[in-house]
């Protein structure tokens, strides 16, 4: 048997369950997808996941497989090894860790998918150089993963890191969480789209003389054609020099900068790691972001904290899940 | 020699330097104050502090004194044992740890005063029951001390916990830190006074019909008599049932509630511990605070986090400093 360590990673998402054999450098040796819709019953899911893991164990019996790490969407009880509620799939009280440990005789760790991905990023990129890293994932939501002293910080009941739901405007827009004015509501996908749409209305209505320069924005045409002004369209327009698109990204950078400055003042981290589709637009918002951070963060922690944008690495969910076994 | 452990605690503040012999239950065995103004020269300060420590060592030679813990105001480099800059005293690059260790042959730990006090609170009140506690000190400033996994979390360069300087209103009032709209600017002493004064002006000017009910507030007279509407006056008026005072505390509770909700969503702690003179007014703002937390914090971490108000314990600075030696 070779000396290298291997892990089975399981990434449970709303549309598919990915199961993979992962090496200790994060390499994927083998990967298989199950369709979530065929696993809505948790007993069936349990059986299918166990069978796939068994197959991997048998097919790679020469490899030193140390355990299984699971990253799951929904509310996950880390210490109990229980998926409490997974709204997209409908599972409740799924004791997945116990099931898998009994059937497979391997150590199993369960965490939420954001933590698993953040851990993967930290372990593969930063563990030699940094101790404290705040990971921010920008997408539909704004997710957080907190790594302190080289370990995931999970909080007292496993829910730490909901940085998308700190209050940005206290009497602001209603968020999906029920609260008003969460920062996610402004820099998540929905917030960006809404801001762009609101701007188009204001420009049409000539609400503000300073918006006149935006009146020939290509976003008007794009909206007609595409119906929804997805961030990728605003990004393309920005790279083509469209003034309104550039303005939208500038505003986005300001708000993200405020979030980052608060994280720097609270955590004094070595780095803020930012991933998600929107990181492609980095060049369009980095200046306004940096200006805001410089204005708002204290100098000592600001000089310490590196702000790093990275494309979301495909399969980081399943890789990070597998690597959870390397946390302790 | 008895078995109990003892420590010398040193609390370096803007007006006095307190040096005390502390028992492991936080009891003060002996205490002495030096006047900061007589120690503005760091060499003189060093000599005076060393002499006082020597005296304590000699006078309590039967006690098992394990080391010295220092909590200092200003910018403190924990790992280097260096007071980088103490604006109130004027010290720069004071290598206090090296000086004391060489002169006294004892282990010396240096941290900032907020961390020392937070650690004292945690060690004496919570270490058996809680793992993660966020300490908030309300006063002129809004200070934070973060205890995670039963240890102080200091961040990568020792400045973590500046929770008073997260942004509350992004285009808000100028804060002493140079930023706009820090939450400290609204719930620190200055913010409370200003809000009260602004309300009095608005009431006089009849800016809002709903303020008419405040027109006979006793705060008008108090302002005439006392010039500055210190929070303690507003507190007294509140306890006497003054409607305007009650409204001011209600608003205060909302903003503090927003801060607490954000801390709960980020840290998922066992407890939020709140100290400071203002905690006396707890009954006047607890309802609006709780309402805001209920609205804004996620249910699982909200149900986990206890919100605990406590009077600032006198000498917690010097006690916590001494107990820093018990952290590791």
């Amino acid at each position: 048997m070779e000396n290298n360590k291997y892990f089975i990673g399981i990434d449970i998402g709303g549309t598919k369950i990915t199961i993979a054999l992962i090496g200790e450098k994060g390499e994927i040796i083998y990967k298989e997808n199950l369709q979530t819709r065929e696993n809505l019953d948790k007993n069936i899911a349990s059986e299918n996941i166990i069978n796939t893991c068994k197959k991997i164990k048998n097919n790679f019996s020469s490899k030193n497989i140390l355990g299984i790490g699971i990253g799951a969407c929904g509310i996950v009880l880390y210490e109990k090894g229980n998926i409490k509620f997974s709204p997209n799939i409908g599972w409740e009280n799924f004791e997945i860790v116990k099931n898998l440990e009994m059937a497979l005789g391997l150590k199993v760790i369960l965490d939420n998918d954001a933590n698993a991905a953040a851990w993967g990023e930290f372990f593969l990129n930063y563990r030699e150089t940094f101790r404290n890293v705040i990971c921010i994932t920008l997408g539909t939501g704004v997710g957080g993963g907190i790594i302190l002293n080289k370990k995931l910080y999970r909080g007292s009941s496993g829910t730490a890191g909901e940085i998308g739901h700190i209050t940005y405007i206290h009497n602001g827009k209603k968020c999906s969480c029920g609260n008003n004015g969460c920062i996610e509501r402004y820099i998540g996908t929905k917030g960006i789209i809404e801001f762009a749409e609101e701007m188009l209305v204001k420009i049409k209505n000539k609400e503000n003389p300073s918006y006149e320069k935006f009146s020939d924005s290509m976003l008007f045409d794009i909206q007609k054609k595409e119906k929804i002004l997805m961030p990728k369209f605003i990004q393309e327009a920005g790279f083509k020099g469209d003034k309104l698109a550039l303005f939208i990204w500038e505003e986005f950078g300001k708000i993200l900068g405020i979030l980052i400055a608060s994280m720097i003042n609270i955590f004094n981290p070595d780095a803020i790691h930012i991933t998600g589709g929107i990181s492609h637009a980095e060049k369009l918002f980095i200046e306004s972001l940096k200006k805001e951070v410089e204005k708002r963060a204290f100098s000592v922690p600001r000089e310490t904290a590196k702000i790093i944008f990275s494309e979301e690495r495909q399969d980081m969910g399943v890789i990070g899940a597998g690597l959870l076994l390397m946390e302790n």
Side-chain angles (χ1 to χ4, degrees), chain A:
Chain A
M1 197 179 278
E2 50 175 317
N3 269 329
N4 295 336
K5 295 167 187 156
Y6 293 89
F7 315 96
I8 295 175
I10 304 179
D11 181 30
I12 300 177
T15 56
K16 65 179 196 282
I17 299 168
T18 305
I19 304 179
L21 183 65
I22 309 289
E24 61 187 307
K25 290 183 183 112
E27 68 278 25
I28 294 182
I29 314 295
Y30 174 84
K31 188 174 86 170
E32 197 165 316
N33 288 324
L34 309 176
Q35 294 308 308
T36 302
R37 63 172 184 275
E38 288 161 15
N39 290 279
L40 298 179
D41 180 301
K42 68 184 179 187
N43 295 315
I44 293 173
S46 201
E47 210 185 303
N48 286 336
I49 292 169
I50 287 167
N51 285 338
T52 307
C53 290
K54 271 188 187 159
K55 192 172 70 185
I56 292 174
K57 258 183 87 174
N58 292 335
N59 292 355
F60 297 93
S61 58
S62 68
K63 302 229 182 272
N64 182 22
I65 299 176
L66 294 184
I68 299 175
I70 308 169
C73 61
I75 299 172
V76 161
L77 304 181
Y78 167 75
E79 282 175 358
K80 290 187 182 161
N82 181 328
I83 299 177
K84 196 184 170 201
F85 181 51
S86 197
N88 294 320
I89 317 181
W91 296 342
E92 275 181 63
N93 286 315
F94 186 177
E95 296 206 313
I96 192 167
V97 167
K98 205 176 74 184
N99 291 3
L100 267 62
E101 281 189 341
M102 274 170 52
L104 296 160
L106 282 170
K107 182 178 169 60
V108 182
I109 292 177
L110 167 72
D111 209 327
N112 70 57
D113 49 358
N115 275 355
W119 174 252
E121 293 285 358
F122 177 79
F123 186 82
L124 297 177
N125 299 315
Y126 303 127
R127 75 178 193 279
E128 304 288 349
T129 40
F130 294 154
R131 271 190 306 152
N132 307 306
V133 177
I134 308 301
C135 295
I136 303 177
T137 306
L138 299 170
T140 311
V142 174
I146 299 174
I147 283 115
L148 304 180
N149 294 317
K150 305 203 173 201
K151 297 184 89 175
L152 271 169
Y153 173 72
R154 298 178 169 93
S156 298
S157 37
T159 74
E162 288 292 356
I163 63 171
H165 298 278
I166 65 174
T167 299
Y168 168 59
I169 296 181
H170 50 95
N171 50 2
K173 292 180 177 174
K174 194 89 180 167
C175 179
S176 62
C177 76
N179 181 12
N180 286 86
C182 292
I183 202 154
E184 166 172 314
R185 192 60 188 76
Y186 296 86
I187 54 173
T189 309
K190 194 178 164 186
I192 299 172
I193 295 170
E194 255 187 36
F195 181 64
E197 290 174 347
E198 287 164 8
M199 281 302 296
L200 291 183
V201 171
K202 284 179 189 167
I203 296 162
K204 265 188 212 159
N205 296 345
K206 302 187 192 292
E207 277 186 30
N208 188 327
S210 74
Y211 292 167
E212 224 181 275
K213 60 181 176 290
F214 301 141
S215 56
D216 61 348
S217 167
M218 62 179 81
L219 293 184
F220 284 102
D221 283 342
I222 295 173
Q223 191 188 34
K224 260 181 218 144
K225 195 176 142 211
E226 307 284 355
K227 305 299 175 222
I228 295 173
L229 274 176
M230 293 303 289
K232 65 176 175 181
F233 302 135
I234 309 172
Q235 182 186 307
E236 284 164 18
F239 280 118
K240 285 178 188 158
D242 184 85
K243 278 186 195 144
L244 174 58
L246 292 173
F247 175 77
I248 292 168
W249 288 114
E250 197 185 319
E251 290 301 302
F252 172 87
K254 275 188 201 167
I255 307 175
L256 183 56
I258 289 173
L259 174 63
I260 290 174
S262 289
M263 291 300 113
I264 289 175
N265 282 343
I266 295 171
F267 285 106
N268 175 207
D270 296 295
I272 308 269
H273 175 95
I274 300 158
T275 54
I278 275 159
S279 64
H280 291 288
E282 178 192 345
K283 281 189 186 143
L284 303 174
F285 60 72
I286 190 73
E287 285 310 314
S288 69
L289 182 153
K290 280 192 173 162
K291 223 167 117 181
E292 212 64 32
V293 171
E294 237 158 80
K295 184 175 149 196
R296 294 183 185 275
F298 280 28
S299 63
V300 172
R302 189 183 70 223
E303 281 156 24
T304 302
K306 285 161 196 63
I307 299 173
I308 300 165
F309 285 87
S310 106
E311 212 170 310
E312 206 159 6
R313 184 165 151 190
Q314 232 212 316
D315 292 318
M316 189 48 93
V318 72
I319 294 167
L323 292 173
L324 283 173
L325 277 296
M326 292 291 279
E327 199 197 348
N328 289 303

